[in-house]
Amino acid sequence: ITCRFLVSVLKREGINAYLIDESSAIISRSLKFNTGQCIPVNAIAQGFAETVKKHDLDPANTLLWISKANMCNLKLYPNFIASLFPAYGLEKAGIYHGEITYIDISVRASMNAYFAHMFGGMIRKMGCKIRPYELEKGATDRVIEKSVEILEDAFLGNRPKEEAVSQIVSRFEWIETRQENRPKVAIFGDIYVRDNSVMNQDLIRFIEENGGEVVTTPYTEMGKMIAPMYFKKWFNEGLYMSLVSVKALVAGMKLIEKKYHRYFERVIKEPEHSYDDDPETILSAFHVKPENAGESMENILKIHYLAKHTPDLSLFVQASPAFCCPSIVTEAMKQEIEAVTGIPVVSITYDGTGGIKNQSVIPYLKFPRAPRPALAPDSAHPSSNKSGGLLIAL
C-alpha cells in the first residue's frame, strides 16, 4: 500500500516511477541466482528485470531505487544486484542509492513520503481492526482498495490530503461489524517480509481466517520507536547531517500528523502512543548494547511497545526470509522475549519455494494461552549482543 503512494509521490516530482511487480512465481524464478544471500536481494533484482520488460523500458534510462542503509550487510545490496543485471540483459541499467526520507529528491517529496508511510500503515491498521468482524465478507477489502486509489490521487496533488483522509475514514466507519472476542496477534521481523503478503503467503489473512486479529504498526510509529537509538548512534559516529536532517523532519511531521491522527482514531479507537521509554533499559533485558543497531534491536523495541500498548496481546509471530542473518539472531531470542513479555513467539521462515508455511500459528489461535505476568528483566535469560539490518526497495 505504502509503495503505491510512494510511486505517486515521485510522479508528482516529475519522475517516471513504476512499482516493481511481485508474485510467488517471480520470487521462485529469482532463486536460480541465489548462492546463499538473503532472498529479498534476488527477489528485488528479478522483480526489477521483469518490470522493465513488462513496461518496455529502456534499460539505459532506467534506475532501480534502493534506500541507503549503514547497518548489517545492506550496503552490499546495490552492488550485488548490479552484478546480476548482465544475467538479465540489463547491463546498461543503473541503481539509485537514495535516502529513505526522499530528502534528496525535494523537501515536498520528503514530507509526502512521511505521510505515505503513515497513511499506508493506518489503512492496513484499520483494515485489520475491522475485517475479522465484518458482516459482509469482502466489504473491508473493497474499502481498502478504494481508499488506496483516493490517496494515490491525493499524493499526485489532485486533491487535499486531509479531505482524502476524511473521506476514507468515513468509508471504514460505514462497514457493519459484529461483536466477537478474538486472540490478538502482532507480527514483527524482517521489513521485506512482515508486511509483504506475497512473500509471507498472506500471513495476515491466514491469521484472520483461523480466528485471530492482527495488530499492525505503521512505519512512522516504528520510526518513532527506534529514532532515539539512531540519533545517538549518528552523533557518536559524527554523522551530523543525517542527525540534523532526520531529526528536524521527524519533529516537524509529528506536529503536522496530529490533524490526520484524529480522523484515524475514530476507527482504530486508540490515542496517539508515546515512545519515550529509555531504550537502553529496554535493550538491557536482552543484554543488547545501544551500539548494536539493526533489525534485532528494532525488533526488541517494537516488541516492548506492542506488549505495553496492547495488554491483551496473545501471540507474537516473527516473519523472516531464508538466509537472513539478523532474523536468525532474533529467533535465538524467542525464549528471552517470552520470558520478558509473557507472550509466546512463533517464528516462520519463507524460502520462496512455496508450500504452506503459516500453519504453525493455528494451535496458538485455536487454544490461546491464558495471559501471565512477564518476568522482571533480570529474570530473563541472557543473550549475546546482536545487530541486524533494514531494507526498503521500490
Side-chain angles (χ1 to χ4, degrees):
I1 295 172
T2 295
C3 285
R4 286 176 62 176
F5 297 159
L6 291 174
V7 168
S8 294
V9 169
L10 293 174
K11 285 182 175 179
R12 189 176 183 183
E13 301 303 316
I15 297 170
N16 188 24
Y18 294 84
L19 182 61
I20 287 179
D21 292 327
E22 188 168 54
S23 67
S24 56
I26 286 175
I27 295 173
S28 295
R29 286 195 290 270
S30 75
L31 297 179
K32 64 180 177 289
F33 295 114
N34 187 282
T35 54
Q37 301 80 27
C38 189
I39 285 178
V41 71
N42 294 97
I44 293 167
Q46 185 78 31
F48 174 70
E50 298 201 18
T51 303
V52 169
K53 181 178 180 180
K54 175 182 176 180
H55 296 283
D56 195 25
L57 303 176
D58 177 8
N61 196 34
T62 306
L63 300 172
L64 168 65
W65 186 94
I66 293 284
S67 67
K68 292 181 179 178
N70 294 312
M71 59 193 84
C72 194
N73 64 348
L74 296 186
K75 283 188 174 182
L76 297 177
Y77 265 54
N79 294 323
F80 183 80
I81 292 175
S83 73
L84 295 176
F85 282 174
Y88 293 109
L90 299 175
E91 295 89 342
K92 296 182 179 180
I95 289 180
Y96 183 79
H97 209 189
E99 298 286 349
I100 193 172
T101 61
Y102 280 14
I103 193 64
D104 51 335
I105 304 296
S106 73
V107 173
R108 182 175 66 181
S110 185
M111 294 175 64
N112 283 331
Y114 182 94
F115 289 116
H117 285 89
M118 178 187 179
F119 295 170
M122 285 300 186
I123 287 177
R124 172 153 287 179
K125 192 174 185 71
M126 291 189 294
C128 290
K129 188 83 173 180
I130 293 177
R131 185 169 48 231
Y133 311 103
E134 63 186 8
L135 291 179
E136 181 189 350
K137 188 173 177 62
T140 306
D141 288 339
R142 290 194 295 272
V143 169
I144 288 174
E145 181 55 34
K146 185 61 180 178
S147 298
V148 172
E149 293 172 0
I150 290 171
L151 283 170
E152 281 179 312
D153 197 45
F155 282 115
L156 286 170
N158 296 329
R159 66 172 78 187
K161 288 194 288 292
E162 185 171 2
E163 174 189 296
V165 168
S166 176
Q167 184 178 349
I168 68 170
V169 168
S170 295
R171 289 176 177 269
F172 276 97
E173 289 178 314
W174 296 339
I175 301 172
E176 294 184 286
T177 58
R178 62 182 177 275
Q179 293 295 320
E180 182 184 343
N181 290 322
R182 286 176 169 234
K184 292 184 178 178
V185 182
I187 301 170
F188 69 90
D190 179 81
I191 192 171
Y192 185 84
V193 174
R194 64 181 181 239
D195 290 316
N196 185 333
S197 60
V198 176
M199 187 71 175
N200 68 26
Q201 300 183 346
D202 215 347
L203 177 59
I204 289 177
R205 193 65 57 91
F206 186 88
I207 291 171
E208 291 174 351
E209 290 176 349
N210 285 279
E213 174 190 334
V214 177
V215 178
T216 63
T217 305
Y219 286 112
T220 46
E221 299 299 297
M222 185 71 183
K224 294 172 190 174
M225 296 177 192
I226 66 176
M229 293 302 299
Y230 283 105
F231 291 160
K232 183 175 182 179
K233 181 177 185 293
W234 292 339
F235 180 83
N236 292 336
E237 295 177 354
L239 301 173
Y240 303 122
M241 286 302 296
S242 295
L243 174 63
V244 172
S245 61
V246 175
K247 201 168 187 177
L249 175 66
V250 171
M253 294 300 98
K254 284 173 70 175
L255 292 175
I256 299 173
E257 72 180 359
K258 289 183 180 295
K259 71 176 181 180
Y260 297 117
H261 195 279
R262 62 187 176 91
Y263 291 103
F264 296 119
E265 191 175 341
R266 286 163 29 193
V267 175
I268 62 176
K269 309 297 183 185
E270 294 178 12
E272 288 187 78
H273 295 307
S274 61
Y275 303 102
D276 52 8
D277 294 349
D278 179 42
E280 294 188 33
T281 300
I282 298 169
L283 297 174
S284 67
F286 300 87
H287 294 261
V288 175
K289 296 182 180 295
E291 293 79 10
N292 295 142
E295 182 184 301
S296 295
M297 177 272 285
E298 294 169 9
N299 283 330
I300 292 172
L301 294 176
K302 181 178 182 180
I303 287 164
H304 167 79
Y305 285 114
L306 281 166
K308 176 182 177 180
H309 295 145
T310 314
D312 56 344
L313 199 63
S314 297
L315 177 67
F316 283 120
V317 177
Q318 179 194 0
S320 309
F323 308 129
C324 177
C325 298
S327 294
I328 295 172
V329 172
T330 304
E331 185 173 354
M333 292 190 285
K334 286 170 59 175
Q335 191 173 1
E336 287 91 335
I337 294 169
E338 183 172 347
V340 172
T341 65
I343 302 169
V345 182
V346 172
S347 297
I348 306 174
T349 300
Y350 303 92
D351 58 12
T353 61
I356 302 173
K357 309 294 186 183
N358 296 332
Q359 286 186 324
S360 55
V361 305
I362 293 178
Y364 294 88
L365 300 175
K366 300 300 182 184
F367 308 100
R369 185 182 302 179
R372 65 176 178 81
L375 297 179
D378 290 342
S379 302
H381 298 287
S383 58
S384 59
N385 297 337
K386 306 164 180 72
S387 63
L390 178 72
L391 168 69
I392 295 271
L394 176 64

